[in-house]
Amino acid sequence: MVKQFSYVVVGNGIAGITAVETLRAEDDSADIAVVADTSLPLYNRPLLKDFLAGRVSEDKLWMRPESFYRDQLVHFISGRVIDIEVDQHTIHLKNGERIGYHRLLLATGARARQLSCPGANLVGVTTLRTVDDYRKVLNYLGYVRRVVVIGSGPLAVESVEVFSQKGYQIIHILRHSTLWPEVLDKTASNLVLQQEWQDGVDIHIEEEISEIIGRNGHVTGVMTTKGTFIPCDLVLVATGTTSELDYLQGSGIDFRRGIKVDESMRTNAPDIFAAGDVAEITNTASGQADVIGHWYPALQQGRAAAYSMLDILDTSRFAHPINGSEAYAQPIHSMSLYTFDFAAVGSTRLPADEKGYQEIVAGPKAQTYRKVLLKDGVPLGIFSLGEQVNMLAFKRAIDHRVNLAPIAARIFDEDFKFTDWLDRQKVPTPVLAVSKTRNATRTRPMKSQPVSHSTNQYAQATYNEQQFKRQEEEYMTPTTNTNPYLLPIVTVPKPPEINSTRAFLVPVIPDILTGEYQAAHTTRSECIDPLWMETPLSQTQALTIGREADATMCINHQIVSRRHAMITYANGCYLLRDLGSRNGTFLNNRRLEPYSVHILQPHDKIRIGTAMSYSLQFRTPEQTGKALP
C-alpha cells in the first residue's frame, strides 16, 4: 500500500526543516511528511565547535523541540530512501514502505568522508560531522594527550584551535599545500599556518595517512605517505563531506557532485526539488557549478524550494541586474579561523582560465589580509582575514553586478567610503533572502501551539497598558538570565489590533551605514522595492539577528555582533531583546540595555548598530492577502 502526501521532504537538516516550516506556514491543510533515519530535532551545526570547546552545553545545540513534528502536524516517517520512481511519484524506503507525493524535496544532506586506509575502524578514530561524533570525541578526552587532525578546511582548523587551547599536543596533516584551497589563497593560508606553528602545532603539508596503527583495538599512531610514524591517542578526520546520492542511481535525476537544480531549486524530474548540502547550483555570475554546503545558503535554499513547491517563488528578479538567486547561490562565511576573524562572500577562487579575472589585494598590514575577485570589473567574491570589512556592502555590489573597475585601485583605502560610492551609483540593497510573489495567497494557518517554560529558565515580567510608562525603565534593566539563546517571557494582555495583523520588518534606508547614524538618513526614500526586502515576523519562531551565518537575519557587517538581537512573540506582543551586542540595538533612537526586553509597537524604528534600520509594520490579512505565519 502506498501512503500519499501532498508534500514529502526527505531529510531533516536545516534545509529540510526550513522547507517544512515554510510549507506549513503557507498551507495549514496540506499533508506533509518528513522521511529521515533519525527523529532527533534539528541541531545547530555551527555551534558544535563551541560544544567541543566546552563553551556551550549540549542542550543549547538543539534548535527545535522533540515535539516539533507533532506541533507542526507533520507525519514523521523513520527510514532511508533507496529508490525513486519518478513516473509514479513514489519513493521506496529500505524497510519496504512506499510513499507517494505530489511534490518532493530531496534534502538528504551530506555525510563525512571516511578514511579507507588500514586501521580506520580502530577506537579513537572518528569523523567530525554529527552530535554523536562530538560526543564520542569528548568521551575520549580523559586519556588523550596527542591528537592528529586530518584536513584542510575550516572544521579541521577550528578543531586544531580548540585542542591547542586546551593544551593537547596537536599534529595537523594537510593533503594539499594550503588550507581551504576552495576559498583561501597561499598568502592567507600561510598567515593561519604560521599562527598554528607559533602555538606549537606540528604541521605536515602535502602528506596523507597510509595506515593507522593500534594496540588492543585502540589507536596508538599513524603512518604517513612519506613514511613518518606519528604516535597519537586520537585521530580526527575532517576531510570534507560527500553528498548522499546513492539512492538516485537509475532514477533519471541528473546529479554529479550534487543534484543539479535550477534557480528555482527544481531538478530535471517533474515535481522534484533539492536543497542544502545535496544540491548543486550554478552561480550565474561566475558560471561555476558547486555544492555550497553552508548553513545560511542551505536555509535560504530550503525556503526557496518550499516556495517553488507551492508555485509562489518570486522569479521576477532572477534576470540581470538583480539576481534573486544570489540569496542562496552565494557562499557566506563568518567565523573564527584559528584566532583570526574571517569573513567571506561569494567565490574567491581564481579559475584555471584567468582571462578577464583580476585580484585586488589590500595593502600589506600585520596579521591581516583582504582580497576581492573581479571578472571584467564585476565582483565575484571577497574575503577578509584578521580585519573586518563591510561585507554587506560588498555583497550589495556582488548581487547587483556593479562594475568596480573605476574604483578598484582605491577600494581598500581607509579613506574610501565604499558604501557612499554605492549610494551615488544608486545601487539597491543587498539580496539577503528569497521572496515569494506579491500576489501569493495562502490558507488560514493553524493556530500556534502554546509553549510552556519553567520559571527557573526564564525571567518573567508583567505588563499593563496603563502602567507601561511608569514601568518601562524596570523592563529595560538586565534580568538574571543572560543566556543569549533564551528570551524572557513577558506576560501581557492580547491587543487585538496586533493579534489580527501580520508584522514585518521593512528597511527604512537603502544602504549599510559606515559612520555615525545621522538623523538625516531617516529622510531618505525607503528602499527601492521594500516588499522584496521585508522580513516577516513569526509567532512561533524567534527571529535572530547577527553576523553569524546561522542567524535568521544574517547581516555580515563589522558593526553587527555575531549574535546581536532577537525578536520573539509571546502573549500577543512582539518582543525585542539585545543580546549583549558591542555596538548596540536601538529602538526609536534609544539604545537598549544588554539582554533587556522591550515590547514593540507599530511603526517602531529598530536600528542594528549603525548598520541597518527597520520600521515595524503591521498589516491585516485584507490589506496584504497574507495570513499570519
Side-chain angles (χ1 to χ4, degrees):
M1 180 178 177
V2 179
K3 298 179 181 178
Q4 294 289 340
F5 296 94
S6 301
Y7 306 104
V8 174
V9 176
V10 182
N12 59 353
I14 182 62
I17 292 301
T18 300
V20 166
E21 291 174 328
T22 305
L23 289 168
R24 178 54 75 211
E26 299 293 336
D27 187 349
D28 68 326
S29 62
D31 287 329
I32 303 174
V34 170
V35 178
D37 54 9
T38 175
S39 62
L40 288 175
L42 176 69
Y43 61 89
N44 189 328
R45 185 168 287 123
L47 278 184
L48 286 173
K49 63 181 182 296
D50 297 308
F51 174 54
L52 181 63
R55 294 187 291 266
V56 170
S57 59
E58 183 175 328
D59 63 299
K60 299 302 186 298
L61 296 176
W62 308 107
M63 300 181 67
R64 299 294 184 273
E66 292 184 5
S67 61
F68 171 78
Y69 297 112
R70 182 175 67 252
D71 295 342
Q72 294 287 324
L73 304 181
V74 170
H75 303 268
F76 176 78
I77 301 172
S78 179
R80 179 176 288 271
V81 177
I82 60 171
D83 187 31
I84 300 178
E85 288 186 87
V86 173
D87 294 340
Q88 300 299 318
H89 278 53
T90 304
I91 62 176
H92 294 246
L93 305 188
K94 188 175 182 180
N95 61 11
E97 286 189 77
R98 300 172 64 202
I99 309 296
Y101 61 86
H102 170 60
R103 295 280 169 88
L104 173 67
L105 173 61
L106 303 176
T108 46
R111 61 180 182 269
R113 289 198 183 104
Q114 307 275 350
L115 292 180
S116 59
C117 64
N121 60 346
L122 289 169
V123 174
V125 180
T126 182
T127 56
L128 288 176
R129 176 70 177 174
T130 67
V131 173
D132 284 340
D133 290 338
Y134 281 79
R135 286 171 177 161
K136 189 185 301 183
V137 172
L138 290 173
N139 289 334
Y140 290 151
L141 296 187
Y143 64 86
V144 166
R145 292 186 302 108
R146 290 173 57 86
V147 180
V148 167
V149 178
I150 309 169
S152 61
L155 184 59
V157 174
E158 68 187 21
S159 300
V160 170
E161 179 181 1
V162 168
F163 280 95
S164 178
Q165 291 174 348
K166 285 179 172 288
Y168 294 91
Q169 298 177 49
I170 309 298
I171 301 91
H172 190 183
I173 299 178
L174 286 74
R175 178 182 180 183
H176 303 287
S177 60
T178 61
L179 292 170
W180 204 6
E182 297 85 2
V183 176
L184 303 181
D185 60 16
K186 188 171 184 178
T187 302
S189 173
N190 287 344
L191 194 60
V192 177
L193 289 175
Q194 180 70 16
Q195 188 61 52
E196 284 191 16
W197 179 79
Q198 289 179 1
D199 288 347
V201 177
D202 183 11
I203 303 171
H204 294 247
I205 292 177
E206 295 183 319
E207 205 162 354
E208 296 183 70
I209 302 297
S210 60
E211 184 179 0
I212 301 177
I213 312 298
R215 184 188 308 118
N216 299 325
H218 291 257
V219 62
T220 58
V222 300
M223 186 69 71
T224 74
T225 51
K226 292 184 179 180
T228 305
F229 174 74
I230 303 172
C232 65
D233 313 299
L234 180 64
V235 177
L236 302 180
V237 182
T239 54
T241 60
T242 301
S243 297
E244 297 279 6
L245 300 169
D246 297 343
Y247 61 95
L248 297 177
Q249 299 290 345
S251 67
I253 298 174
D254 188 10
F255 69 94
R256 293 177 181 84
R257 285 190 58 204
I259 302 172
K260 297 286 290 183
V261 295
D262 62 13
E263 66 274 9
S264 301
M265 312 310 296
R266 296 177 184 271
T267 70
N268 65 311
D271 300 321
I272 298 181
F273 306 75
D277 292 354
V278 77
E280 182 176 320
I281 298 175
T282 299
N283 186 296
T284 53
S286 65
Q288 298 175 354
D290 201 3
V291 177
I292 299 177
H294 297 290
W295 192 263
Y296 171 76
L299 185 151
Q300 295 298 335
Q301 290 171 25
R303 186 175 297 158
Y307 286 157
S308 285
M309 294 166 80
L310 294 159
D311 296 317
I312 60 173
L313 179 67
D314 182 5
T315 60
S316 63
R317 295 167 31 261
F318 286 165
H320 183 77
I322 301 176
N323 187 346
S325 66
E326 297 301 336
Y328 49 86
Q330 290 287 4
I332 297 178
H333 309 279
S334 179
M335 66 185 73
S336 173
L337 198 61
Y338 202 89
T339 73
F340 291 92
D341 281 337
F342 177 80
V345 175
S347 174
T348 58
R349 178 177 54 193
L350 191 64
D353 178 13
E354 301 181 10
K355 185 178 181 180
Y357 290 86
Q358 180 184 11
E359 292 181 315
I360 306 298
V361 179
K365 195 173 182 180
Q367 297 296 93
T368 65
Y369 184 63
R370 293 169 292 165
K371 184 180 78 173
V372 62
L373 178 66
L374 307 179
K375 181 181 181 182
D376 299 324
V378 175
L380 298 182
I382 177 178
F383 73 73
S384 172
L385 184 68
E387 182 173 328
Q388 296 177 342
V389 297
N390 191 341
M391 283 293 167
L392 205 54
F394 277 99
K395 188 176 191 307
R396 184 179 171 190
I398 293 169
D399 289 345
H400 302 292
R401 302 182 186 180
V402 180
N403 188 349
L404 301 183
I407 58 159
R410 298 185 293 141
I411 201 164
F412 287 121
D413 290 352
E414 292 186 4
D415 60 348
F416 179 68
K417 305 300 183 183
F418 186 33
T419 298
D420 292 344
W421 184 85
L422 292 173
D423 289 346
R424 292 193 294 272
Q425 312 308 309
K426 303 186 185 303
V427 178
T429 50
V431 181
L432 298 178
V434 299
S435 59
K436 62 181 179 179
T437 53
R438 296 186 187 182
N439 60 353
T441 59
R442 55 187 177 187
T443 59
R444 185 175 179 82
M446 61 182 178
K447 295 181 179 179
S448 59
Q449 300 294 325
V451 180
S452 61
H453 302 286
S454 61
T455 55
N456 64 343
Q457 285 182 310
Y458 296 95
Q460 295 194 23
T462 59
Y463 169 69
N464 182 279
E465 183 73 34
Q466 291 73 28
Q467 296 177 331
F468 176 75
K469 293 297 182 183
R470 177 172 59 83
Q471 296 182 349
E472 182 175 17
E473 290 300 325
E474 177 183 347
Y475 299 128
M476 295 301 293
T477 59
T479 68
T480 56
N481 168 34
T482 57
N483 189 326
Y485 300 96
L486 303 179
L487 185 67
I489 292 178
V490 177
T491 305
V492 296
K494 297 184 177 180
E497 66 276 12
I498 292 181
N499 277 333
S500 61
T501 61
R502 190 180 183 199
F504 299 83
L505 291 182
V506 179
V508 296
I509 52 176
D511 61 333
I512 311 304
L513 302 177
T514 56
E516 291 298 321
Y517 187 85
Q518 301 293 331
H521 284 115
T522 61
T523 63
R524 294 185 181 185
S525 60
E526 295 193 358
C527 61
I528 294 173
D529 195 359
L531 285 180
W532 62 256
M533 280 296 297
E534 66 188 15
T535 301
L537 298 182
S538 171
Q539 293 186 2
T540 59
Q541 301 295 332
L543 175 80
T544 56
I545 304 170
R547 203 169 74 247
E548 287 279 13
D550 61 324
T552 313
M553 182 186 291
C554 177
I555 305 178
N556 199 339
H557 186 275
Q558 60 185 358
I559 294 296
V560 180
S561 297
R562 295 184 185 278
R563 299 179 183 92
H564 198 106
M566 179 184 288
I567 298 177
T568 192
Y569 181 88
N571 298 315
C573 288
Y574 290 94
L575 310 172
L576 172 66
R577 183 186 190 187
D578 178 84
L579 298 180
S581 63
R582 182 178 62 180
N583 293 301
T585 303
F586 296 79
L587 183 60
N588 299 322
N589 288 332
R590 176 185 175 184
R591 182 166 182 163
L592 304 183
E593 292 292 331
Y595 305 108
S596 62
V597 180
H598 198 93
I599 297 171
L600 294 174
Q601 303 294 334
H603 308 295
D604 275 348
K605 295 297 188 297
I606 300 169
R607 178 156 53 87
I608 307 302
T610 56
M612 295 289 285
S613 186
Y614 298 89
S615 172
L616 182 65
Q617 303 289 333
F618 290 91
R619 304 179 198 139
T620 64
E622 290 75 17
Q623 291 173 320
T624 62
K626 304 173 183 178
L628 288 166

